[in-house]
Amino acid sequence: MQEIRSARPDEADALAGLIDAAYQPYRDRGIVLPDVCGGLAEAIAAGQVWVIGAEPLGVLMMTATAPDAHLMNIAVSAAAKGQGIGGQLIRFALDHARAAGCRRMALATHKDIPENVALYEHLGWQVTAREGMKVLMSRDL
């Protein structure tokens, strides 16, 4: 298991690069994505970003203010795909939200990435709405 720690402000550019690279395969499929790194520096300053690994292998962005948590982004570097990094980040997010007194976690994914919807459904999330390109999901904690 890799260590998960809070992101540091001096890591913002490197983490933005990791996130952009993680989403590039979707762009290569012709999927138009929103700015996946928007607000990263501000989120780091607010304590809403965590990284996994000494040299970051993955990034988690989330908020946890009871009663609800919001999973904003999870990205795993190409070098770490298939190593359980994403799952470890999701478990951390759920545990962090529970510890913060949250009872539910919400997220949004893209309608043109059905494998993400299927993954989150497998992990206990349910589709709650569809708005434009977004599939909104939540799960009880």
Side-chain angles (χ1 to χ4, degrees):
M1 253 176 126
Q2 297 281 338
E3 177 190 359
I4 298 175
R5 61 172 173 78
S6 294
R8 298 185 313 264
D10 65 318
E11 295 177 300
D13 290 340
L15 296 178
L18 186 154
I19 293 167
D20 276 334
Y23 282 90
Q24 189 58 47
Y26 302 121
R27 288 187 202 95
D28 292 345
R29 286 175 25 194
I31 299 171
V32 178
L33 298 172
D35 179 7
V36 293
C37 294
L40 180 60
E42 294 84 0
I44 291 172
Q48 300 169 342
V49 182
W50 290 265
V51 297
I52 187 167
E55 177 161 331
L57 302 172
V59 179
L60 163 68
M61 295 175 65
M62 68 172 286
T63 59
T65 304
D68 297 316
H70 182 234
L71 181 63
M72 300 182 302
N73 202 339
I74 286 187
V76 176
S77 72
K81 291 276 187 206
Q83 298 178 21
I85 298 296
Q88 193 176 340
L89 287 169
I90 289 172
R91 287 188 298 278
F92 175 88
L94 295 170
D95 290 346
H96 180 74
R98 285 185 197 103
C102 297
R103 292 183 295 222
R104 184 177 58 213
M105 180 174 279
L107 63 84
T109 190
H110 198 286
K111 74 172 189 70
D112 292 332
I113 310 176
E115 63 269 32
N116 280 1
V117 175
L119 170 68
Y120 287 118
E121 285 179 328
H122 175 75
L123 296 174
W125 272 265
Q126 296 178 336
V127 174
T128 57
R130 295 178 186 271
E131 297 176 0
M133 303 306 263
K134 292 180 182 179
V135 178
L136 305 178
M137 305 181 80
S138 72
R139 67 165 281 172
D140 291 335
L141 298 174

